[in-house]
Amino acid sequence: MLNTVLSARNGQASGTPEAAVQVEGIGKRYPGGVEALKDVTLDFPAGELTTLLGPSGCGKTTLLKIIAGLLDPSKGQIRVKGKQVHGPGPDRAFVFQDFALMPWATVLRNVAFGLELRGVAKAEREATARKYITEVGLTGFEQSYPHELSGGMRQRVGVARALAVDADILLMDEPFASIDEQTRRKLQEDLLQLLQIEKKTVIFVTHSIEEAVYVSDQIVLLSRRPGTVSRIIRPNLDHSTDLEAARRDKAYLDCVDEIWQTLKQYLV
Amino acid sequence: MTVLGYRIPMMFSLLAWFVVWEIVGQLDLTILIPPFSGVIAAGITMLPSQKFHDAITITMTAFLAGMGLSLLVGIPLGILMGRVKAIGQLMGMWVNIFESSPLTAVIPVLMALLGFGQATIITTVFLFSVWVIALDVQVGAKHANASLLEMGRSFGASRFALYTKILFFAALPEILAGVRLGLIRGVKGVVIGQLLVAIVGVGELFELYSRNFLMEEFWALVIMVFAFAFAISETVAYVERRIEYYASTR
Ligand SMILES: Nc1ncnc2c1ncn2[C@@H]1O[C@H](COP(=O)(O)OP(=O)(O)O)[C@@H](O)[C@H]1O
Ligand SMILES: [Mg+2]
């Protein structure tokens, strides 16, 4: 039932058509000597949601920021649709764990900010922003400021901002980690629903096994620091009929358990 | 202020002090302390006079020019000191020295360089206020929310956009605190500059009144300068309170 794939790509030429992002031999040593990642090689299939799952401090954020082009790797390279990239680009949009909303700007301006930075005219970018504000369920809050919103609503703004720039790849760093449990479940469901409309490749970082199994097409288990790929698992849940039911699915429970058995060995 | 558990409004405590002043003044203890009522009367006669008007005009011109210069230099300098390590190290020591040094001592040198006119006074205002602005802005720029800057970079912000659209606003609470302190130093600078140059503006009036023992006019002018400094710093403080929520979402 669980489809476990070996992590090593067997010498395939890079440029596998369905991989939106390819991580090739990435290593990262921070100035000061911390080795966060070691020889990570991974494909992120286009149109799928892949989670990076691993214990705290194993280098998930580091890997995501390298993919985003916010950090330079010490070794290896990142390819986006076959082309090597060196910095941030319009093909990737980031959703931050702490939301990273500008407190001095309204929801509307925050959502439109990526377009503002690209020089899109005000009327046009605000029209686009309004569309995505509606899509994430925040209609009526266009003129609110971030401090007037709850954590869950703030992250909806973060998601809308990332969608508004129309990047094919969404990079989400523990987007729901600082949000209370009930709201988090709702956000997970809404994210899945949203992804059925917006065809995106999502790279999703989490340290929650349940969250990973619930939202993912593919789960990459990372080992303790220095992070390496330990296993890749495909939960194969069926979300198309009933978003709620998936959480009671036997496949869901089995997958959670299997990942727990693997991750347990990394805990001291 | 609280007395015996009661909160006393500030106006009221000021009033109490004015009453004390009036009594001491009426006792005629020293020529230096005239009755408060006399000070008020002198102030009222002074206000519409041409001499006062001219003094205020020239003083405000120097103050605004000096402050403008301070903001134009202090804010970018502070931001660079906060963001570019090399500049922070290179300038940090000097800015700290100037910030805490008795700058009054260099005014004679300025007079020798720039003459006895507005240029010297504007420079004095600038030198009095720019350092504290730069230092406060540096703190703001240094501690600006790192993930906001990352957000900007990830959405392709140019360096200029990063600084003007994100960093400036992220550091705004500290920038305003610096501006508020800078303005107060600037008031000090303009008065001290004019006193030492001693031929223009409010400084000239101070000189005139104290030399001729016109203590009522002298105190009236002191109160006006205080009131001005208080008013501008309260105005900035008001803006600071308005943007308090910037910090709450950090
Ligand atoms: N800027 C940095 N400088 C030095 N070490 C860092 C830095 N950022 C992260 N690290 C270290 O690298 C490791 C991986 O960090 P991170 O990628 O944030 O882990 P995760 O997101 O999986 O919790 C951690 O041990 C962390 O302490
Ligand atoms: Mg992390």
Side-chain angles (χ1 to χ4, degrees):
Chain A
M1 177 189 335
L2 294 175
N3 184 2
T4 304
V5 186
L6 278 179
S7 67
R9 287 180 28 250
N10 32 12
Q12 261 174 347
S14 53
T16 324
E18 72 273 25
V21 176
Q22 293 161 288
V23 169
E24 296 176 346
I26 289 288
K28 175 68 185 179
R29 190 181 283 280
Y30 278 107
V34 177
E35 189 178 23
L37 296 171
K38 191 174 176 174
D39 196 26
V40 177
T41 297
L42 255 177
D43 276 1
F44 295 90
E48 291 198 348
L49 191 154
T50 303
T51 40
L52 301 172
L53 176 63
S56 222
C58 75
K60 304 181 295 291
T61 298
T62 304
L63 181 56
L64 198 68
K65 285 187 177 166
I66 289 174
I67 295 172
L70 291 170
L71 268 180
D72 289 326
S74 314
K75 270 206 200 96
Q77 53 178 340
I78 302 295
R79 288 173 183 280
V80 173
K81 295 186 199 121
K83 279 213 198 75
Q84 190 177 349
V85 293
H86 294 282
D91 43 14
R92 286 152 290 154
F94 209 100
V95 178
F96 293 83
Q97 177 172 358
D98 62 357
F99 320 134
L101 302 180
M102 300 180 294
W104 56 85
T106 60
V107 166
L108 185 62
R109 175 149 186 250
N110 267 295
V111 172
F113 193 63
L115 298 170
E116 180 180 338
L117 289 173
R118 287 183 193 173
V120 176
K122 189 168 170 156
E124 189 187 338
R125 67 180 189 246
E126 289 190 346
T128 310
R130 281 177 201 284
K131 172 180 165 225
Y132 289 101
I133 288 170
T134 304
E135 218 167 82
V136 299
L138 283 181
T139 316
F141 291 94
E142 290 83 355
Q143 299 304 328
S144 302
Y145 286 85
H147 70 281
E148 299 166 331
L149 306 179
S150 69
M153 290 161 86
R154 287 184 207 176
Q155 195 56 296
R156 287 174 190 271
V157 178
V159 171
R161 176 177 59 195
L163 291 174
V165 294
D166 199 28
D168 290 336
I169 299 157
L170 282 189
L171 308 171
M172 309 181 83
D173 187 11
E174 305 208 27
F176 309 143
S178 49
I179 292 164
D180 66 87
E181 176 71 27
Q182 292 89 324
T183 312
R184 181 159 60 223
R185 283 179 169 233
K186 181 81 176 96
L187 282 166
Q188 290 163 355
E189 288 171 14
D190 290 356
L191 176 67
L192 290 178
Q193 211 153 40
L194 207 55
L195 289 174
Q196 285 170 1
I197 315 168
E198 306 277 337
K199 278 288 157 214
K200 304 280 181 194
T201 304
V202 184
I203 307 181
F204 189 104
V205 166
T206 181
H207 63 250
S208 157
I209 300 176
E210 284 81 5
E211 179 168 82
V213 175
Y214 182 65
V215 299
S216 307
D217 297 303
Q218 168 178 285
I219 301 171
V220 177
L221 298 189
L222 294 173
S223 70
R224 212 162 49 183
R225 203 182 74 208
T228 51
V229 177
S230 141
R231 265 182 86 187
I232 296 179
I233 293 173
R234 299 187 70 88
N236 289 328
L237 299 191
D238 181 16
H239 291 118
S240 57
T241 46
D242 183 357
L243 285 168
E244 284 284 350
R247 290 190 208 272
R248 295 183 298 268
D249 199 331
K250 179 150 187 325
Y252 170 81
L253 298 169
D254 285 349
C255 190
V256 168
D257 190 57
E258 177 165 353
I259 292 173
W260 168 234
Q261 296 307 328
T262 306
L263 286 182
K264 218 153 58 169
Q265 61 180 305
Y266 298 128
L267 302 176
V268 224
Chain B
M1 196 174 80
T2 53
V3 173
L4 304 172
Y6 291 100
R7 234 188 83 79
I8 312 288
M10 192 167 102
M11 278 318 285
F12 193 80
S13 77
L14 265 182
L15 270 180
W17 281 111
F18 290 151
V19 170
V20 172
W21 183 344
E22 180 68 23
I23 292 167
V24 173
Q26 293 292 353
L27 291 177
D28 222 353
L29 295 175
T30 158
I31 186 169
L32 292 179
I33 307 178
F36 185 66
S37 52
V39 172
I40 297 294
I44 291 169
T45 24
M46 241 164 82
L47 273 176
S49 74
Q50 185 62 38
K51 196 168 183 57
F52 182 75
H53 184 257
D54 292 347
I56 292 301
T57 309
I58 197 162
T59 304
M60 282 307 290
T61 310
F63 176 73
L64 292 178
M67 283 313 303
L69 217 56
S70 266
L71 296 178
L72 279 179
V73 173
I75 294 175
L77 176 63
I79 287 184
L80 286 176
M81 279 167 55
R83 298 312 302 183
V84 185
K85 218 172 171 187
I87 297 181
Q89 284 168 345
L90 197 71
M91 300 296 299
M93 189 180 77
W94 292 107
V95 172
N96 270 296
I97 288 176
F98 286 130
E99 203 272 326
S100 52
S101 66
L103 286 165
T104 313
V106 303
I107 298 178
V109 181
L110 288 179
M111 284 197 278
L113 287 174
L114 300 169
F116 294 86
Q118 282 288 69
T120 303
I121 293 160
I122 291 171
T123 311
T124 307
V125 173
F126 172 76
L127 287 178
F128 267 62
S129 57
V130 70
W131 315 112
V132 71
I133 296 176
L135 286 176
D136 270 19
V137 174
Q138 179 187 24
V139 173
K142 208 170 194 160
H143 300 298
N145 187 333
S147 86
L148 273 185
L149 293 168
E150 249 174 6
M151 182 277 291
R153 285 211 295 137
S154 80
F155 285 104
S158 65
R159 185 167 262 255
F160 182 74
L162 219 50
Y163 277 45
T164 53
K165 285 182 192 280
I166 297 179
L167 190 62
F168 176 81
F169 292 96
L172 200 53
E174 285 84 0
I175 292 178
L176 284 175
V179 169
R180 178 166 47 78
L181 295 176
L183 284 167
I184 295 169
R185 303 268 181 105
V187 173
K188 239 161 79 175
V190 77
V191 173
I192 290 176
Q194 289 182 342
L195 269 175
L196 292 188
V197 177
I199 50 164
V200 289
V202 172
E204 186 193 10
L205 290 184
F206 269 126
E207 177 76 9
L208 179 77
Y209 297 151
S210 60
R211 205 201 322 253
N212 298 307
F213 290 99
L214 296 169
M215 294 325 282
E216 289 172 344
E217 283 81 359
F218 178 85
W219 284 115
L221 193 58
V222 167
I223 289 174
M224 281 187 239
V225 172
F226 273 168
F228 173 70
F230 183 74
I232 53 174
S233 94
E234 277 305 296
T235 307
V236 180
Y238 171 77
V239 181
E240 281 179 71
R241 285 192 296 274
R242 287 287 305 267
I243 63 152
E244 246 166 16
Y245 63 88
Y246 280 31
S248 72
T249 32
R250 272 181 187 175

